[in-house]
Amino acid sequence: MTVTPFGTRLRAAMDSRGPLCVGIDPHAALLAQWGLPDDIAGLERFSRTVVEALAESVAVFKPQAAFFERFGSKGVAVLERAVADARAAGTLVVMDAKRGDIGSTMAAYASAFLDPASPLFSDALTVSPYLGYGSLKPAVDLARESGAGLFVLALTSNPEGAEVQRAVREDGRTIGATMLAHLAAENADAVPMGSFGAVVGATLGDLSSFDLDINGPLLAPGIGAQGATAADLPGVFGKAVRNVVPNVSRGVLKHGPDVSALRDSARRFADEIHEAVTA
């Protein structure tokens, strides 16, 4: 059976729903802000509310696996239900787990999130390449086979990332630029867009010294609580802005648990992003 690649499905979702990606980040402070207990019941109420409020309107959800894993197996079970419910409603799911290892361990991580037989199967997975890009091969191979995608940490928004990602190799190219080049090679000849994307922070300012035109999606955290705005996107991403998937988490989630308020906030961000990237 032919599987439609993630890049194709993502492009269609972005074109029909807009590119907004909403995080599902049930950290303790946000649960308290919603008036929910910091336990499994609160976790389930939170994730179910976000999915029910937004699954029919946003293109992508990005659950942060750590906030579910901290509750052990019961928390992972809640994550499984959230992923299944979101995908059943037609929303793509990018699992933010930032996995990275070598050999059979990397293959096991890939199987957990990229094998359609897994209860945690997601449309895409965030991965860390800092054991060497080649260490991601098991995930790359399984993603191609299953029609899933990857988002590789390339130029992240956290200040600490620069000491690795802006480090210069012997060939004069930075580590971040090297990761972007690997991804461009993975996406070569893909139409309408490749399935292998990069994580590039929306807070980083002028990135014109980097070639972000990788023919793949650019997951862009940093809008909202971290200080970036939709209006910043063209200046940061240049001609690659059409492939940007802007991620907003706290900026939307702080309006819960009121479903209408969550929807209104997501709609405002979506409208601002549409205006910025189509101007």
Side-chain angles (χ1 to χ4, degrees):
M1 182 178 66
T2 302
V3 180
T4 303
F6 171 68
T8 301
R9 293 183 287 116
L10 178 60
R11 178 80 272 159
M14 292 168 70
D15 290 347
S16 63
R17 297 187 175 195
L20 178 64
C21 168
V22 174
I24 306 179
D25 297 359
H27 52 78
L30 194 52
L31 291 176
Q33 186 177 329
W34 279 37
L36 297 174
D38 188 23
D39 59 17
I40 290 297
L43 181 72
E44 184 153 22
R45 172 73 183 280
F46 179 94
S47 58
R48 188 179 297 276
T49 299
V50 174
V51 171
E52 289 180 353
L54 303 176
E56 294 184 359
S57 59
V58 302
V60 182
F61 280 129
K62 184 176 71 64
Q64 170 49 258
F67 292 126
F68 294 84
E69 292 171 347
R70 70 191 183 98
F71 292 101
S73 60
K74 291 182 179 179
V76 173
V78 173
L79 179 59
E80 291 173 4
R81 287 192 293 274
V83 170
D85 290 347
R87 299 189 74 242
T91 309
L92 299 176
V93 173
V94 174
M95 183 63 69
D96 194 359
K98 299 182 179 70
R99 298 302 197 246
D101 215 304
I102 61 172
S104 58
T105 308
M106 188 68 240
Y109 281 139
S111 180
F113 298 105
L114 302 173
D115 183 341
S118 169
L120 284 169
F121 175 68
S122 303
D123 296 283
L125 172 68
T126 61
V127 291
S128 173
Y130 295 107
L131 288 171
Y133 183 83
S135 67
L136 300 179
K137 188 176 187 303
V140 171
D141 290 347
L142 186 53
R144 288 194 188 280
E145 179 183 334
S146 64
L150 297 177
F151 284 98
V152 176
L153 303 179
L155 296 166
T156 57
S157 56
N158 62 305
E160 303 88 349
E163 70 180 71
V164 175
Q165 297 153 18
R166 305 280 181 136
V168 179
R169 293 161 30 112
E170 290 182 357
D171 62 5
R173 188 164 60 177
T174 64
I175 300 297
T178 300
M179 297 308 156
L180 293 168
H182 281 303
L183 293 167
E186 300 287 3
N187 293 325
D189 303 321
V191 177
M193 181 170 67
S195 298
F196 299 94
V199 178
V200 178
T203 57
L204 296 179
D206 182 7
L207 293 176
S208 58
S209 61
F210 293 91
D211 186 0
L212 300 177
D213 190 11
I214 61 171
N215 191 32
L218 301 168
L219 182 63
I223 293 178
Q226 292 186 45
T229 69
D232 295 325
L233 294 174
V236 176
F237 294 96
K239 64 180 181 179
V241 73
R242 184 171 179 268
N243 288 344
V244 170
V245 182
N247 173 239
V248 181
S249 294
R250 283 172 288 175
V252 171
L253 300 177
K254 68 182 181 181
H255 296 284
D258 184 282
V259 168
S260 295
L262 286 168
R263 288 174 177 163
D264 289 344
S265 178
R267 188 178 302 111
R268 286 194 299 272
F269 275 109
D271 290 345
E272 291 170 3
I273 290 165
H274 175 76
E275 182 177 352
V277 303
T278 59

